């Protein structure tokens, strides 16, 4: 799946005037490609990621998802009205994220997106294992979820914490839990907002190479990061400066 | 593996302290609503049953027995006293103009060892003229009372066919009366023939002080039903004027007094219920607002992983409803328990007859109490649930990370 943002911007009223957290921006996330967005704090990185991830409505512009094939009829039914068949045989479909209703967009996020939000994100009443399995149980849950969750925990090096609760985990462990959770549905597009911020060097490298691996499996990956080391894993690098996105050459 | 669907329950079970506090809060609310309704209606039916039992417009008793306390006990509590006068009074009262029906009763005290530890009150009525006891007996048990047969009040530990011995004389229990919530529940009723027999047997035991009155011609009180359209107070005065040595008391004044009391208590209970309802509602609003605000970021996360607005709303509401239902059930059970354990004590404190309403009404009170709690839960949280579920996810994620 390919994601194309066309002239998206986001503004907030601030001190009686419009403040643009993100100026008009175009961005494409392609299958097999990992892009990084870096920049100063408050420059608008999270804002851009949220717009792409269907978590905040842009003040202008649109975010289009191009879907080559639909997973079963249920998907077609869910996105129904927002889906538009592209001209040409097997050209796939196109959906404007922000023209979907909430039900469709939510389903879409669940189906195609893996999102690692900035900071800690855990459901306190669920164990680590249950937190990881959560996205796979919002709609129809299947039997293989538990195995996949166990494998992901293993891969993130926190298998022994499966039955622990979030409040018992360190920041880095929580972060790895969030990464495992984002991958449980094997998403087409992965968004990671500073996924390595709480991690030591070894874990940082492990996470970055894992994100690279996911891109190599044909998924689109967008990483917001401060890490210099992230550069060597990226296909494309962007810099955000006061709401203006620039490609780094 | 329906983790999301189980989330409301898990949220409750895995935060036991918080859940317990919320449960107590909702339980207090349902306890008050249900307990209050139960109390008011118990008082009401106690009152109705007392009115029915009393049935007379005027009560004529010996002058010396007419202390206020005595009267109130007889009329309000259905408690009999022990005082006696000549049975010529009955005839004299009947001759007063304006009386429709006149019937006398005899009260005897007895230490009947076979049925009860406490003193039993024997009430003798005249089946020929009676208009207060018989209708009640007919409703509770069938048939006529033969000689040496008695009917027992609800709380007397004897059943139909048992034999009770008074002053060494055996009586057969012919039936048991329905509960009234008054002292009548501890009385034994007998017809005129039987009571004369018992009166004679009692003389030797020195239990009842007939003084100078001939035990063969003794009565304790005369009940009067006035003719239609007759002024009761005036009739009572006429009786008192024309029959020497008696006091004629209109019962309606006392009933009115107790009705006033009842109204007062009902009012207090209602106001208390309303105050607690409002307070509980406000507290619930604050608590649920805190509960929801505290978890804003968690809700945003659920939205991130694909939970729709509607599902999120449903999930949060389910949690609140579960708490409310559990609290309502706990409060109702507690109220029932208190009612069952302490009804007697409460009745004694309030000095008013109380009678638990029928199962149908009790169930309807339960349902309305549960409904009140659930409605309060929904109303107090609806706005907040709506707010967190419909806000922009990106914005909510930004908070307190
Ligand atoms: N709801 C809002 N109202 C007003 N201003 C906002 C709002 N959300 C974000 N902003 C502003 O938009 C700008 C960009 O915010 P954003 O979170 O995208 O920054 P960022 O690049 O992710 O920063 P960081 O590296 O610290 O996470 C900031 O100046 C922020 O103050
Ligand atoms: Mg950010």
């Amino acid at each position: 799946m390919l994601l194309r943002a066309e002239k998206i911007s986001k503004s907030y009223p601030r001190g009686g005037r419009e403040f643009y957290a993100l100026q008009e921006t175009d961005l494409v996330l392609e299958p097999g490609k990992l892009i990084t967005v870096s920049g100063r704090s408050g420059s608008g990185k999270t804002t851009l990621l949220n717009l792409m991830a269907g978590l905040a409505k842009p003040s202008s512009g649109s975010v289009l998802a191009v879907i080559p094939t639909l997973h079963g009829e249920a998907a077609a039914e869910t996105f129904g009205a927002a889906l538009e068949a592209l001209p040409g045989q097997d050209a796939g479909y196109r959906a404007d994220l922000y023209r979907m209703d909430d039900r469709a967009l939510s389903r879409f996020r669940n189906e195609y997106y893996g999102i690692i939000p900035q900071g800690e994100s855990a459901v306190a009443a669920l164990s680590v294992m249950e937190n990881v399995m959560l996205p796979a149980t919002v709609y129809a849950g299947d039997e293989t979820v538990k195995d996949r969750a166990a494998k992901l925990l293993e891969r993130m090096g926190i298998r022994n914490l499966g039955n622990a609760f979030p409040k018992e985990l360190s920041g880095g462990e929580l972060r790895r839990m969030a990464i495992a959770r984002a991958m449980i549905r094997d998403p087409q597009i992965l968004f990671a907002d500073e996924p390595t911020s709480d991690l030591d060097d070894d874990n940082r490298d492990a996470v970055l190479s894992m994100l690279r691996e996911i891109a190599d499996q044909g998924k689109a990956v967008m990483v917001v990061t401060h890490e210099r080391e992230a550069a060597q894993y990226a296909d494309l690098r962007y810099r955000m400066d006061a709401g203006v996105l620039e490609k780094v050459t | 593996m329906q983790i999301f669907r189980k989330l409301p329950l898990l949220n409750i079970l895995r935060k036991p302290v918080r859940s317990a506090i919320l449960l107590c809060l909702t339980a207090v609310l349902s306890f008050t609503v249900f307990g209050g309704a139960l109390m008011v209606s118990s008082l009401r039916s106690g009152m109705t049953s007392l009115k029915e039992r009393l049935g007379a417009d005027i009560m004529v008793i010996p002058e010396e027995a007419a202390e206020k306390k005595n009267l109130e006990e007889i009329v309000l509590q259905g408690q009999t006293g022990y005082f006696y006068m000549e049975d010529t009074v009955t005839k004299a009262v009947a001759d007063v103009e304006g009386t429709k029906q006149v019937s006398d009763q005899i009260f005897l005290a007895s230490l009947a060892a076979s049925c009860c530890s406490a003193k039993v009150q024997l009430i003798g009525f005249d089946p020929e003229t009676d208009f207060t006891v018989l209708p009640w007996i007919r409703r509770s048990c069938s048939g006529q009372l033969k000689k040496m047969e008695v009917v027992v009040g609800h709380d007397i530990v004897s059943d139909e066919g048992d034999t009770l011995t008074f002053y060494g004389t055996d009586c057969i229990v012919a039936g048991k009366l329905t509960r009234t919530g008054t002292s009548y529940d501890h009385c034994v009723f007998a017809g005129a023939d039987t009571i004369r027999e018992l009166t004679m047997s009692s003389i030797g035991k020195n239990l009842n002080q007939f003084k100078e009155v001939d035990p063969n011609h003794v009565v304790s009180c005369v009940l009067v039903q006035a003719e239609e359209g007759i002024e009761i107070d005036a009739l009572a005065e006429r009786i008192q004027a024309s029959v020497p040595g008696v006091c004629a008391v209109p019962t309606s004044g006392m009933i009115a007094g107790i009705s006033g009391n009842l109204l007062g208590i009902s009012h207090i209970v209602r106001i208390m219920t309303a105050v607690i309802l409002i307070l509980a509602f406000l507290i619930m609003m604050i608590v649920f607002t805190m509960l929801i605000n505290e978890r804003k970021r968690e809700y945003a996360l659920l939205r991130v992983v694909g939970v729709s607005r509607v599902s999120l709303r449903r999930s949060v509401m389910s949690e609140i409803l579960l708490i409310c239902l559990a609290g309502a059930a706990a409060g109702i059970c507690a109220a029932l328990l208190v009612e069952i354990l302490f009804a007697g004590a409460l009745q004694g404190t309030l000095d008013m007859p109380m009678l638990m309403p029928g199962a149908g009404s009790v169930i309807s009170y339960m349902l309305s109490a549960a409904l009140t709690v659930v409605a309060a839960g929904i109303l107090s949280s609806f706005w907040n649930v709506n707010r967190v579920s419909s806000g922009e996810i990106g914005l909510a994620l930004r908070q307190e990370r």
Side-chain angles (χ1 to χ4, degrees), chain B residues 212-264:
Chain B
E212 66 274 13
V213 186
D214 174 3
N216 267 315
H217 299 280
V218 74
V219 296
S220 291
C221 79
V222 178
L223 298 172
V224 179
Q225 192 175 24
E227 266 172 26
E228 304 276 317
I230 291 282
E231 182 97 27
I232 307 279
D233 287 340
L235 178 60
E237 274 171 31
R238 269 208 304 283
I239 291 172
Q240 211 159 318
S242 48
V243 185
V246 301
C247 182
V249 192
T251 56
S252 59
M254 297 198 166
I255 295 269
I258 198 176
S259 293
N261 261 352
L262 181 78
L263 269 180

Side-chain angles (χ1 to χ4, degrees), chain A residues 12 14 19 21 40-47 118 194 226, chain B residues 395 398 401:
Chain A
Y12 297 104
R14 185 187 268 181
F19 160 75
R40 237 182 264 135
S41 179
S43 57
K45 305 181 296 296
T46 299
T47 303
Q118 187 171 9
E194 308 199 12
H226 290 297
Chain B
L395 234 127
R398 188 168 289 282
R401 53 183 167 224

Side-chain angles (χ1 to χ4, degrees), chain A residues 231-245:
Chain A
Q232 66 192 85
Y233 298 92
D235 296 305
L236 276 170
R237 288 187 290 147
Y238 290 91
R239 258 200 79 77
M240 184 69 87
D241 193 6
V244 179
L245 191 69

Side-chain angles (χ1 to χ4, degrees), chain A:
Chain A
M1 190 173 88
L2 183 143
L3 200 65
R4 180 185 305 135
E6 291 175 349
K7 296 189 168 151
I8 52 169
S9 71
K10 183 76 175 176
S11 65
Y12 297 104
R14 185 187 268 181
R17 282 198 292 153
E18 287 296 281
F19 160 75
Y20 275 84
L22 182 70
Q23 305 281 351
E24 242 177 50
T25 303
D26 291 331
L27 181 66
V28 178
L29 302 185
E30 278 175 278
K33 294 279 162 62
L34 186 152
I35 71 159
T36 59
V37 179
S38 57
R40 237 182 264 135
S41 179
S43 57
K45 305 181 296 296
T46 299
T47 303
L48 174 65
L49 183 136
N50 283 348
L51 296 184
M52 301 295 284
L55 301 176
K57 202 173 161 64
S59 306
S60 69
S62 52
V63 180
L64 301 168
V66 180
I67 308 160
T69 49
L70 290 173
H71 294 303
E73 279 174 39
E77 224 172 83
T78 314
F79 310 134
L83 268 187
E84 189 187 333
L86 289 170
Q89 192 150 22
D90 291 333
Y93 302 84
R94 195 174 77 166
D96 185 337
L97 260 58
Y98 293 101
R99 280 165 70 182
M100 294 183 189
D101 61 16
D102 177 71
R103 210 169 82 98
L105 183 56
S106 299
R107 184 80 196 245
F108 179 88
R109 270 197 306 273
N110 182 261
E111 187 91 27
Y112 296 104
Y113 281 178
I115 302 170
I116 303 160
Q118 187 171 9
E120 286 174 10
S121 59
V123 178
L126 298 182
S127 70
V128 169
M129 185 72 170
E130 289 166 336
N131 260 286
V132 172
M133 291 193 288
L134 179 66
T137 68
V138 173
Y139 298 95
D142 62 281
E143 292 306 313
T144 61
V145 184
K146 206 159 190 168
D147 290 343
R148 278 187 288 132
K151 279 201 191 98
L152 282 168
L153 287 183
E154 170 94 69
R155 204 162 150 198
M156 300 310 305
I158 48 171
R159 198 181 72 157
N160 54 327
L161 294 174
N163 291 322
F165 282 87
K167 63 167 184 281
E168 301 160 355
L169 267 59
S170 74
E173 287 163 340
L174 278 174
R175 187 127 290 278
R176 283 179 276 163
M177 179 191 87
I179 297 170
R181 182 178 53 214
M183 299 195 337
I184 190 80
R185 293 277 283 147
D186 195 19
Q188 293 294 307
I189 302 182
L190 191 70
F191 297 95
D193 199 345
E194 308 199 12
T196 56
S197 58
D198 288 316
L199 300 182
D200 55 74
D201 291 357
D202 287 349
N203 270 310
R204 178 197 63 203
D205 292 342
V207 165
L208 287 174
S209 63
M210 201 168 80
L211 293 174
R212 179 68 248 174
E213 221 176 280
I214 291 164
D216 289 340
Q217 284 163 13
K219 311 291 159 60
V221 182
M222 174 177 178
V223 187
V224 169
T225 181
H226 290 297
E227 310 278 356
R228 286 179 197 291
E229 285 76 6
Q232 66 192 85
Y233 298 92
D235 296 305
L236 276 170
R237 288 187 290 147
Y238 290 91
R239 258 200 79 77
M240 184 69 87
D241 193 6
V244 179
L245 191 69
E246 274 170 23
K247 200 179 265 179
V248 178
T249 45

